[in-house]
Amino acid sequence: MKRTVAVLVAILLVSCVKQTELEYEFPDEKGFVDNSVSLFMERRCGSMDCHGQVGRPLRIYSQRGLRLDAKGGRNGETTAEERKANYISVIGLEPEELTIARRSKGNYVDFMLFKKPLGEEGLGVKHKGGPVLAPSKTDPGWECLRSWVFDTADKAECEKAASALDPPSP
Amino acid sequence: MRRLFALLVLAASCSDPVRDQRIAELGDETATGPGPDHRPGQDCLLCHSPGGPASDTPFAAAGTVYTTPTGDDGASGIEVRFIDAAGRGPVDKVVTTKSGNFYVPAGSWKVTFPFRVGLYKGKDELVAPMISTVNREASCNYCHRNDDVPSSLSKEERTRRFYGQIYAGAPQ
């Protein structure tokens, strides 16, 4: 009897250890920062009326919204630390789903980072800001996200997306 | 009786409890009563938008400009210029009233987000450009506010999280 209990406890412990051994696989941080995925999200998602505020689940830090700290004042340039924090925000949104997507090499798109910006109108999910991207090769924002999640961030598309819809000063 | 109950349920389900609570938190009406100078500094489109209690006078955008970053004096006669992602802005010129309030009637501008804003004095003197774009919220005081910022926050934390009120002057 004692041996049976010991075996059961051992199995239980092993199964617990297995639970914590999930290995994540995320799109890379360097591509997020250097290839302007962060810049695109700062401009298009990170204003203070959207994801640039502490109340949002997906926080985006930048010169144009929430600051990571106030060392550089309110309007200083977006810092490297803020871009790193943006990366952590994005991969932390649904880490398991992002891992599955990354491993799927383009086949798995059923996760929030892709569904939210489409809004319900674009066959995604409800987004308070409405549909802000279209699942199309002609939308540089969509291509920027897709390229980063599945392969290597397409810097040209990300920069195009960052400046798209950016009106000049009045 | 059942019909009455069903109607009551329907009526209750039409209201937005979050909006209702935010409107209640605005407090009493200003002494002058409703008009271009009432409730300066408050979130104008909470009421002046479809579904709000002032939906008969909907705004495309609105807010308040002050003379200083923290004071209560409104800056009158400041022109507020807008340009949106479609390259358009309000049909009519937008100028602050004596309380510092400004508003764009919904019929004057069909907004394509995001848009940018700049404050001008005199003919063409730019006194305060806005660095960020406005991506969704056309009620300027939604972000630019001092009144409901928790007083327990340190100065650094306020700077980090909030823009503060709009004022017609150089950044400080």
Side-chain angles (χ1 to χ4, degrees), chain A residues 128, chain B residues 11-23 46 50-52:
Chain A
K128 195 170 181 184
Chain B
S13 65
C14 286
S15 71
D16 176 347
V18 176
R19 173 188 260 192
D20 292 347
Q21 187 183 339
R22 286 179 61 199
I23 290 172
L46 261 183

Side-chain angles (χ1 to χ4, degrees), chain B residues 1 7-8 19-20 41 49 67 136 161 170:
Chain B
M1 188 64 185
L7 275 173
L8 283 172
R19 173 188 260 192
D20 292 347
S49 60
T67 55
R136 181 181 67 79
R161 293 192 198 186

Side-chain angles (χ1 to χ4, degrees), chain A residues 43-44 47-50 53-54 56 64-70 74-75 128-129 165-170, chain B residues 81 83-85 114-118 120 131-137 142-143 156 159-163:
Chain A
R43 296 262 180 97
R44 297 281 295 276
S47 60
M48 199 165 267
D49 52 343
C50 299
Q53 57 176 291
V54 292
R56 287 277 179 271
R64 293 186 174 199
L66 181 65
R67 304 312 308 247
L68 189 59
D69 61 52
R74 170 71 254 164
N75 296 325
K128 195 170 181 184
L165 304 178
D166 207 5
S169 289
Chain B
R81 294 185 191 172
I83 186 163
D84 69 14
F115 66 80
R116 275 185 192 278
V117 188
Y120 286 80
I131 291 173
S132 175
T133 51
V134 176
N135 287 8
R136 181 181 67 79
E137 178 60 63
Y142 173 82
C143 294
E156 181 177 330
T159 304
R160 189 176 85 80
R161 293 192 198 186
F162 300 101
Y163 286 128

Side-chain angles (χ1 to χ4, degrees), chain A residues 122-157:
Chain A
L123 302 179
V125 293
K126 184 169 173 57
H127 183 221
K128 195 170 181 184
V132 291
L133 294 180
S136 156
K137 282 190 180 299
T138 60
D139 186 330
W142 181 253
E143 285 302 287
C144 172
L145 275 187
R146 270 188 66 89
S147 61
W148 174 65
V149 168
F150 294 133
D151 189 10
T152 304
D154 186 328
K155 188 170 186 172
E157 291 289 341

Side-chain angles (χ1 to χ4, degrees), chain B residues 58-140:
Chain B
F59 296 160
T64 310
V65 182
Y66 293 90
T67 55
T68 57
T70 54
D72 292 332
D73 294 333
S76 63
I78 299 292
E79 185 185 351
V80 188
R81 294 185 191 172
F82 302 84
I83 186 163
D84 69 14
R88 295 187 302 247
V91 173
D92 303 307
K93 194 171 174 176
V94 180
V95 180
T96 56
T97 61
K98 66 179 177 190
S99 64
N101 281 353
F102 64 88
Y103 60 97
V104 183
S108 174
W109 181 26
K110 187 174 175 2
V111 182
T112 303
F113 286 100
F115 66 80
R116 275 185 192 278
V117 188
L119 302 183
Y120 286 80
K121 232 181 347 192
K123 196 178 173 204
D124 269 323
E125 184 194 346
L126 178 64
V127 290
M130 185 168 165
I131 291 173
S132 175
T133 51
V134 176
N135 287 8
R136 181 181 67 79
E137 178 60 63
S139 220
C140 305

Side-chain angles (χ1 to χ4, degrees), chain A residues 1-10:
Chain A
M1 182 63 182
K2 275 184 183 172
R3 184 178 289 176
T4 309
V5 170
V7 169
L8 282 173
V9 167

